[in-house]
Amino acid sequence: MSATNVAPTGTDDPGSRQLLRRISKSVAGGNPFADAALSALVAFGLFAALIGLRTDSGPVGLVLTPRPWALAGWVGAVFLVRLLVLLWRQRTRPAQAYAENRRLAEGLAHLSRLLAPALLLLALALPSFADRSYLDLGVLVLTYVMLGWGLNVVVGLAGLLDLGYVAFYAVGAYTYAIFSTQFGLGFWTCLPLAGALAALWGVMLGFPVLRLRGDYLAIVTLAFGEIIRILLINWASLTGGPNGISGIPRPTLFGLRFDASGGPDTFAGYFGLEYSPTQRAVFLYYVILALALLTNWFTLRLRRVALGRAWEALREDEIACRSLGINVTATKLTAFAIGATFGGFAGAFFATRAAFVSPESFTFIESAIVLAVVVLGGLGSQFGVVLSALVMIGGLEMLRNALSELASGGYLGPLGALVPDPGQYRMLIFGLALVVVMVLRPRGLVSGRTPSVALGRRREISAELVAEGRG
Amino acid sequence: MDSPLLQVTDLTMRFGGLTAVNALSFEARRGEITSVIGPNGAGKTTVFNCITGFYRPTSGDIALTHPDGAAFRLQILPGHRIARRARVARTFQNIRLFAGMTVLENLLVAQHNALMPNVASGLLAVFGLGGHRAAEAVAIDRARGWLDRINLLPRADDPAGALPYGDQRRLEIARAMCTAPVLLCLDEPAAGLNPRESDALAELLKTIQADGCSVLLIEHDMGVVMRISDHIVVLDHGSRISDGDPAHVRADPSVIAAYLGEGDEDDPDVPLAAVPDGSLAAAS
């Protein structure tokens, strides 16, 4: 700097400017301690009022209680975490990290080939050793696996970001609820109906949004999901409004009911077994497992034929698709319709399992969770969806149990007084875990793409080359 | 048969107040390589986008006549029909391959309509019905044939995005050819190629022509253009300024003026007269 230069901010005293310059210099120079100190300073600025002061209700209005130790704890934590991250990063150079990431991706793809059959066997055998609570958890996880696989067709393969997927879930659930309670139709009759009606709605959503891309598409699909939900609330004469529909019949096994009456038309009575509620739970578990496996088989087959390839091509480059004579409209609509069909199946299952549907079950957060399952798993990866559904849905429930166990068992010691209800922290821990996964593996747990056809050996395509789709 | 394959009549394309193409007429004859040249901003790519359905022209007529007499008016045909029914294929100035799909998959996507004539057959294929397997075997054979022709057979299972630039250019041409076109439109296929790759490209285009496919070519590489074109159309500021065989165009004073440019500051291409034998690549 030349001597004639005027200081940019005249009010600053030269001492603090000097200090700031020295800090920024050492931060830029890669000194991790300076960087962490700067992070701690920023954290102090942020937390000073937020954490350092608490408002308590006093005799007259609110009084401020200073909490210096809590503040110091948080600022110290930021310093330490930042320092650790930087030191860890210095250990691995970017090129090395890239190679490591690549190896990990290939390893995971390899692992999935071994792990997938093992998981399938485990899923098939689960009812033989698991108790009721795990069975119910299994049903929940499988429902999300199925929804994730259905959404994967739209988001992962065709690259159309759909934030309103829960709408098709709702259409399927209400289709079964209404047809069974109003017309007395059975579950297995209503299942294809639910799929077909959901597909119809998928096409109806598809038409107006065909011209939209990316963010715009996402917003309109989000609105579509809300429209369906609000329709369900307000069309009270058909849907029961906010009260929903209750008394939905349970599914039957070739006409055999699962109840305690013991007649020859019940499962227990026909086979001469003693009735137990677990029988129905096991049956429901196998129904959703079969539906999910059907979805998976269909999707895997689709990927190998012209239609699925056209979807993936659409995700890669829509303009090139048009120049090759692919009817982009029809291709997008089939993606919406097929994705919606699976959502409808899952919805009908949801209705029959819960025996009750209400609009509250079909809020935006459901769409968000299903989308998170797909994104976390890795767009387009069937195995990734299973992994992330296990981690997200199963893991979250396990975490809730583990945390309450921790609190009730008194394992927390003196910390227990500070954290009276650790179960409340599960979403925080969960969110943090998601962030960490996305930082470490930005393209999802199982990124990369397996070619649909090959002259020689199929080799994984690394995620860097695969497009995410812009609608 | 004397009717031209492609007959463009009074084609005008306006973007707001800007007239990109102004009452342009030219024709591309069957079995010939027709080149469209001109300084940057002359409206060449706009003409291409009108022919291939990416733009809807403001006015004018684009008529395509197949060898069997079937006639199409491209300005009213939807984009995907132009490739499918009228059988006009194109490549792009900035390569548009499906980067995350393998080389082979790129060529199979191009044969989409042969594999899946309608949505119902596409769904039947999931259950192994509707002859999809046989159709796919044919499609793979065809793809293999093209890969052999462009020397990419060993890389068939590699992602297209991992190929070197020159290979990507050739793959894009092969992909367009897999749609079985009667007219192949190439938008600057030699851009970014080294002289040897340009030569290979020229050879490839000659063999495509020999197979009976007509070619419409936009190109800045005058070496390639002068060597392989049967017919050259020169555009400047959206209008045709010259039209004829390479010798005619090279000698045309208005072409030389347009390229040397009284006002075309951004494209000081080497004057065409400087490449009498077409051995020099004049493009920057």
Side-chain angles (χ1 to χ4, degrees):
Chain A
M1 247 187 223
S2 68
T4 53
N5 249 5
V6 186
T9 47
T11 50
D12 270 5
D13 63 299
S16 71
R17 277 220 333 271
Q18 197 71 30
L19 183 70
L20 270 177
R21 195 173 303 148
R22 266 178 56 197
I23 290 178
S24 69
K25 217 175 189 174
S26 55
V27 168
N31 181 349
F33 287 95
D35 190 312
L38 194 64
S39 304
L41 193 69
V42 172
F44 178 78
L46 276 174
F47 294 154
L50 285 174
I51 291 172
L53 295 173
R54 194 166 88 176
T55 50
D56 287 317
S57 46
V60 252
L62 297 170
V63 286
L64 284 177
T65 321
R67 297 200 298 171
W69 288 112
L71 178 62
W74 277 101
V75 171
V78 167
F79 179 82
L80 271 179
V81 168
R82 179 73 188 158
L83 191 64
L84 285 175
V85 165
L86 285 173
L87 288 177
W88 185 70
R89 250 194 225 160
Q90 276 189 348
R91 195 180 55 83
T92 55
R93 285 202 208 89
Q96 200 184 341
Y98 177 80
E100 258 174 30
N101 201 23
R102 185 71 194 278
R103 258 202 308 282
L104 191 65
E106 272 171 10
L108 267 175
H110 196 71
L111 191 71
S112 75
R113 239 161 277 143
L114 300 172
L115 208 57
L119 270 180
L120 178 62
L121 280 180
L122 183 72
L124 283 170
L126 186 77
S128 65
F129 58 84
D131 66 5
R132 181 67 196 268
S133 66
Y134 278 99
L135 216 51
D136 285 344
L137 185 57
V139 169
L140 190 68
V141 170
L142 280 172
T143 310
Y144 278 99
V145 167
M146 171 149 183
L147 285 172
W149 276 339
L151 185 62
N152 210 2
V153 169
V154 185
V155 180
L157 293 184
L160 304 161
L161 183 53
D162 186 351
L163 291 181
Y165 191 63
V166 74
F168 309 123
Y169 191 43
V171 168
Y174 270 85
T175 301
Y176 176 57
I178 291 168
F179 277 96
S180 63
T181 54
Q182 309 265 336
F183 305 110
L185 294 180
F187 176 72
W188 298 106
T189 325
C190 286
L191 192 63
L193 268 177
L197 273 177
L200 186 73
W201 281 96
V203 172
M204 277 171 71
L205 164 69
F207 262 115
V209 304
L210 277 172
R211 296 153 57 91
L212 303 179
R213 298 265 192 112
D215 312 345
Y216 304 95
L217 176 76
I219 294 294
V220 175
T221 53
L222 186 143
F224 178 77
E226 287 300 290
I227 288 171
I228 294 280
R229 189 175 63 85
I230 289 167
L231 193 77
L232 292 177
I233 292 177
N234 288 294
W235 195 352
S237 59
L238 183 72
T239 64
N243 298 329
I245 300 174
S246 54
I248 300 168
R250 302 306 192 120
T252 55
L253 176 67
F254 298 111
L256 299 176
R257 285 178 289 120
F258 289 87
D259 60 34
S261 68
D265 59 344
T266 66
F267 180 79
Y270 186 82
F271 289 103
L273 302 169
E274 198 171 328
Y275 171 74
S276 117
T278 314
Q279 287 163 1
R280 183 162 69 202
V282 170
F283 176 61
L284 283 173
Y285 175 84
Y286 279 120
V287 168
I288 186 66
L289 182 62
L291 283 176
L293 288 178
L294 176 80
T295 310
N296 185 35
W297 175 81
F298 200 81
T299 313
L300 285 179
R301 285 286 307 162
L302 264 171
R303 270 206 69 211
R304 299 281 174 86
V305 301
L307 183 57
R309 264 202 296 271
W311 286 343
E312 291 200 85
L314 206 62
R315 179 192 65 202
E316 296 281 328
D317 194 329
E318 185 176 330
I319 288 175
C321 279
R322 244 172 75 189
S323 83
L324 295 172
I326 293 174
N327 186 342
V328 173
T329 308
T331 310
K332 278 189 183 178
L333 285 181
T334 52
F336 272 118
I338 289 175
T341 306
F342 295 132
F345 287 163
F349 175 79
F350 172 80
T352 193
R353 182 181 77 103
F356 169 71
V357 289
S358 83
E360 265 174 48
S361 311
F362 308 106
T363 50
F364 169 68
I365 190 74
E366 289 295 316
S367 290
I369 289 175
V370 177
L371 187 67
V373 164
V374 174
V375 171
L376 183 73
L379 288 177
S381 163
Q382 296 291 96
F383 185 66
V385 166
V386 178
L387 273 192
S388 65
L390 271 176
V391 171
M392 278 190 62
I393 311 300
L396 193 59
E397 288 301 311
M398 303 273 212
L399 190 66
R400 191 215 302 263
N401 295 342
L403 284 176
S404 53
E405 182 88 352
L406 216 60
S408 60
Y411 298 112
L412 289 176
L415 210 62
L418 207 67
V419 194
D421 183 7
Q424 287 189 339
Y425 286 81
R426 71 180 209 284
M427 284 315 253
L428 185 72
I429 296 171
F430 180 61
L432 215 63
L434 281 192
V435 170
V436 169
V437 169
M438 290 330 274
V439 166
L440 293 178
R441 297 198 56 74
R443 297 291 296 256
L445 289 171
V446 185
S447 56
R449 173 178 177 272
T450 316
S452 64
V453 62
L455 293 182
R457 198 172 64 82
R458 281 176 222 268
R459 288 190 299 268
E460 283 297 300
I461 296 173
S462 76
E464 282 82 13
L465 289 171
V466 182
E468 286 146 331
R470 295 284 305 152
Chain B
M1 222 186 284
D2 280 320
S3 69
L5 177 71
L6 180 75
Q7 174 93 51
V8 175
T9 317
D10 285 334
L11 180 71
T12 300
M13 182 76 213
R14 286 197 196 92
F15 299 100
L18 175 82
T19 305
V21 180
N22 188 14
L24 173 72
S25 298
F26 72 92
E27 59 182 48
R29 284 185 290 273
R30 190 157 296 126
E32 289 194 349
I33 294 180
T34 307
S35 291
V36 179
I37 64 171
N40 280 343
K44 304 181 297 289
T45 299
T46 306
V47 171
F48 253 45
N49 283 339
C50 289
I51 291 172
T52 51
F54 283 87
Y55 293 158
R56 193 121 303 189
T58 314
S59 66
D61 189 64
I62 308 168
L64 184 93
T65 316
H66 279 186
D68 62 8
F72 300 89
R73 296 180 69 211
L74 301 187
Q75 76 274 22
I76 55 166
L77 220 54
H80 67 274
R81 290 260 168 81
I82 289 181
R84 188 173 181 177
R85 302 259 175 256
R87 289 165 62 199
V88 176
R90 72 167 293 176
T91 64
F92 296 86
Q93 195 170 349
N94 44 347
I95 305 173
R96 282 184 171 276
L97 288 169
F98 306 122
M101 303 176 84
T102 65
V103 170
L104 179 66
E105 283 178 309
N106 268 272
L107 299 188
L108 289 185
V109 171
Q111 302 178 63
H112 177 79
N113 289 319
L115 287 168
M116 183 185 141
N118 51 50
V119 173
S121 68
L123 290 178
L124 279 180
V126 175
F127 303 99
L129 304 170
H132 184 270
R133 191 170 298 219
E136 183 159 291
V138 172
I140 288 178
D141 268 352
R142 191 193 186 94
R144 198 195 288 268
W146 271 103
L147 288 178
D148 202 25
R149 249 173 110 165
I150 60 172
N151 296 324
L152 279 181
L153 199 51
R155 304 210 61 178
D157 298 334
D158 287 342
L163 293 181
Y165 189 79
D167 288 349
Q168 292 197 13
R169 283 262 175 226
R170 276 181 297 139
L171 178 60
E172 204 190 12
I173 294 173
R175 188 181 68 177
M177 286 308 295
C178 275
T179 64
V182 295
L183 177 66
L184 175 66
C185 300
L186 302 170
D187 197 346
E188 298 199 18
L193 299 188
N194 66 33
R196 210 175 57 212
E197 289 172 323
S198 293
D199 284 348
L201 176 81
E203 285 312 307
L204 178 66
L205 295 187
K206 282 305 239 186
T207 64
I208 286 172
Q209 182 191 20
D211 287 352
C213 181
S214 312
V215 177
L216 190 63
L217 177 71
I218 290 180
E219 191 47 72
H220 275 305
D221 186 332
M222 287 309 145
V224 171
V225 170
M226 292 298 161
R227 181 142 41 111
I228 65 172
S229 303
D230 299 300
H231 176 197
I232 296 176
V233 179
V234 190
L235 299 190
D236 192 23
H237 296 301
S239 304
R240 190 179 70 181
I241 58 169
S242 184
D243 189 346
D245 60 26
H248 171 82
V249 165
R250 196 183 295 144
D252 192 327
S254 62
V255 176
I256 296 168
Y259 266 83
L260 286 178
E262 283 109 16
D264 288 313
E265 62 292 322
D266 60 338
D267 190 38
D269 268 1
V270 177
L272 300 175
V275 281
D277 59 354
S279 62
L280 269 171
S284 47

